[in-house]
Amino acid sequence: MRRPALRTGVRWKISVAIAAVGALIAMALSLVVHNAARVSMLDNARDVQMDRLLLAQRWYETSKNRDPRFNSKINDPALPAELQRLVRDGRRGSFVEDRDGAPEIWAAVPLADGDVLSLHTEFTGRSATVMKDLDRALIIGSVAVVFGGSALGVLIGGQLSRRLRKAAAAARNVARGNTEVRVRDAIGGVVRDETDDLARAVDALTDALQARIDAERRVTADIAHELRTPVTGLLTAAELLPPGRPSELVRDRAQAMRTLVEDVLEVARLDSASERAELQEIQLGEFVARRVRSLHPDSVIRIVHESWVSTDPRRLERILGNLLTNAVKYGGGPVEVTVEGRVVRVRDHGPGFPEDLLREGPSRFRTGASDRAGTGHGLGLTIAAGQARVLGARLTFRNAAPGGTTPIGTSGGAIAVLWLPEHAPTTTGSFPILELDD
């Protein structure tokens, strides 16, 4: 069972961590300062109490009527047991007694006649006020430390979070195929930290992957180019064979091999990003209708809205041909072609596109599920997608809803949608980004 994941930002994690550490430190320091101040004030109060008692002792011993002064008492029955034991040993001393949370200061001294003179006061007044003010200051300081730590955490975490978001955005651009992007340049900054190490590692990985992809493309193109001459010779030799079923099979396989080699070369050229569109102004609906009738006369053509577009007719025809071939070969009839403005839809009524194609897009030498496998090599839709990129267009694939209906009353099937751009691609190969949803 998958546990739900709680998503939080680095900024808030750092802020909470700094605030928590600041709160713990402020609490610990506050307790230490409070206890130290309390002990110091109590010690001072005991010294003052003892000085007052000694003054009362001198007054008592020098007065004629032996009258205790300064609130001192003779043989006070409430004298704490600790002081009683101390006085019995002939020593003087002081003692702090906590009673209901309020400290009480005792001092006792033995007299020459065996009596005990003691003085008892509560720890109140100015001392208690000072402790309250100190506690209030400690609380305010602790709260200020927590909020200051939180603000510092937000500041530090925000900077780190921004760098990580820039790195993630640059990495996504690389994943989309823009290998010119460098994560280290994207995050910027003067201070170097672990984020820069991560960026350099991603850039190194991108360079390594791009070098491997380029090498594989060169090998594929070289192999296809080297195969072109012998395959052409094989096809020519097959034409010289005497008529018959074996000769037809040889010619058919030789022609299939030649088509495969040409497709592989075309894919290699498209992957190299060196292809450029030769633009012409065409009436899209009329052009599509004419090409579809010549390629597959049984297709149903619907022109909802006519539009003039600037595109490469040869590449557009290649895309339409591959989409129609895929629909006729792997789908079910009837095949419908709809033109609406700059949007061209090709739909069949077969089992639909396989899930991996819908999820990952066309892939060379993968024809999909067994019910749409046929005898192809999986290059038709790959070439169509590559030609669409050269045109600055967008080619999407989806399946019709099982319960949906078309104008002629059938349901299901695969739908390929070609979105031509509003502005034609430039001669440098850059295109406007078309963000549309079918």
Side-chain angles (χ1 to χ4, degrees):
M1 184 177 180
R2 187 176 180 181
R3 295 185 301 175
L6 179 61
R7 178 179 174 82
T8 57
V10 175
R11 172 189 302 180
W12 303 114
K13 290 180 180 179
I14 295 178
S15 177
V16 171
I18 293 179
V21 172
L24 291 176
I25 294 176
M27 184 180 300
L29 290 178
S30 298
L31 292 175
V32 171
V33 171
H34 173 84
N35 290 332
R38 186 173 184 273
V39 170
S40 177
M41 295 185 70
L42 288 176
D43 289 342
N44 184 63
R46 292 172 64 178
D47 293 341
V48 172
Q49 190 81 326
M50 180 58 67
D51 291 342
R52 293 176 60 191
L53 181 62
L54 293 177
L55 181 61
Q57 179 186 9
R58 286 194 294 272
W59 179 273
Y60 179 80
E61 290 177 347
T62 56
S63 63
K64 296 180 179 180
N65 53 1
R66 299 279 182 165
D67 184 20
R69 294 293 182 92
F70 310 115
N71 296 324
S72 59
K73 295 182 180 180
I74 301 295
N75 299 326
D76 191 348
L79 187 68
E82 290 80 355
L83 283 179
Q84 291 180 8
R85 288 192 297 269
L86 191 67
V87 172
R88 282 197 298 267
D89 294 337
R91 294 182 295 172
R92 64 188 181 188
S94 60
F95 182 75
V96 178
E97 182 181 23
D98 285 330
R99 182 172 297 177
D100 297 330
E104 295 182 355
I105 311 299
W106 288 85
V109 61
L111 300 175
D113 56 3
D115 292 333
V116 176
L117 181 66
S118 62
L119 184 62
H120 169 227
T121 58
E122 294 183 354
F123 186 70
T124 57
R126 179 177 175 80
S127 299
T129 302
V130 170
M131 287 300 301
K132 289 181 180 179
D133 293 339
L134 177 62
D135 291 341
R136 186 181 301 109
L138 290 175
I139 293 175
I140 295 174
S142 299
V143 173
V145 167
V146 172
F147 280 100
S150 300
L152 181 62
V154 170
L155 180 63
I156 298 176
Q159 183 179 5
L160 178 59
S161 179
R162 283 192 297 272
R163 289 166 63 85
L164 290 176
R165 284 198 300 270
K166 290 179 180 178
R172 282 193 292 268
N173 288 333
V174 173
R176 295 190 188 104
N178 188 0
T179 56
E180 299 298 325
V181 175
R182 288 295 175 265
V183 179
R184 179 63 194 87
D185 296 335
I187 62 176
V190 178
V191 180
R192 298 292 185 263
D193 53 20
E194 288 79 1
T195 309
D196 298 88
D197 298 335
L198 175 61
R200 283 191 289 269
V202 174
D203 290 339
L205 176 62
T206 301
D207 293 336
L209 290 176
Q210 186 61 37
R212 178 173 297 182
I213 291 173
D214 292 340
E216 292 178 353
R217 287 173 178 172
R218 286 193 298 270
V219 170
T220 302
D222 292 343
I223 292 175
H225 189 271
E226 293 299 325
L227 286 175
R228 172 186 270 177
T229 300
V231 168
T232 302
L234 178 62
L235 185 61
T236 303
E239 295 294 335
L240 301 177
L241 294 176
R245 181 59 179 168
S247 301
E248 292 179 2
L249 292 176
V250 172
R251 284 192 291 269
D252 179 67
R253 291 299 88 194
Q255 182 61 45
M257 185 177 295
R258 181 178 181 177
T259 302
L260 174 60
V261 171
E262 295 295 338
D263 287 348
V264 170
L265 282 173
E266 185 174 358
V267 170
R269 289 194 300 269
L270 292 172
D271 287 342
S272 66
S274 61
E275 295 287 282
R276 295 292 180 264
E278 298 178 2
L279 304 178
Q280 296 181 22
E281 289 286 337
I282 63 171
Q283 198 170 4
L284 184 60
E286 186 272 335
F287 176 86
V288 170
R290 187 171 65 252
R291 293 300 187 271
V292 170
R293 290 192 186 99
S294 63
L295 295 171
H296 190 255
D298 295 334
S299 299
V300 179
I301 304 171
R302 298 176 60 246
I303 301 176
V304 179
H305 176 66
E306 184 62 275
S307 176
W308 284 86
V309 296
S310 179
T311 188
D312 189 329
R314 181 179 62 85
R315 298 184 188 277
L316 180 57
E317 183 175 0
R318 179 68 161 149
I319 296 172
L320 289 174
N322 284 10
L323 295 180
L324 285 172
T325 300
N326 184 82
V328 172
K329 193 172 185 178
Y330 303 115
V335 175
E336 299 179 19
V337 180
T338 304
V339 179
E340 185 174 358
R342 295 184 177 87
V343 180
V344 180
R345 292 180 177 85
V346 178
R347 173 177 181 170
D348 63 51
H349 294 83
F353 291 117
E355 291 298 327
D356 54 356
L357 186 145
L358 297 177
R359 183 175 58 253
E360 303 170 9
S363 178
R364 64 196 67 177
F365 300 109
R366 185 178 63 186
T367 57
S370 59
D371 54 354
R372 291 181 65 91
T375 58
H377 301 282
L379 295 177
L381 294 182
T382 302
I383 292 174
Q387 295 289 5
R389 285 194 299 271
V390 176
L391 295 179
R394 179 186 176 198
L395 182 59
T396 62
F397 305 93
R398 67 181 179 86
N399 290 331
T405 60
T406 64
I408 59 177
T410 57
S411 62
I415 303 176
V417 185
L418 178 66
W419 311 80
L420 292 173
E422 182 177 359
H423 302 286
T426 65
T427 56
T428 60
S430 61
F431 320 117
I433 298 176
L434 187 62
E435 295 292 345
L436 294 173
D437 294 322
D438 185 31

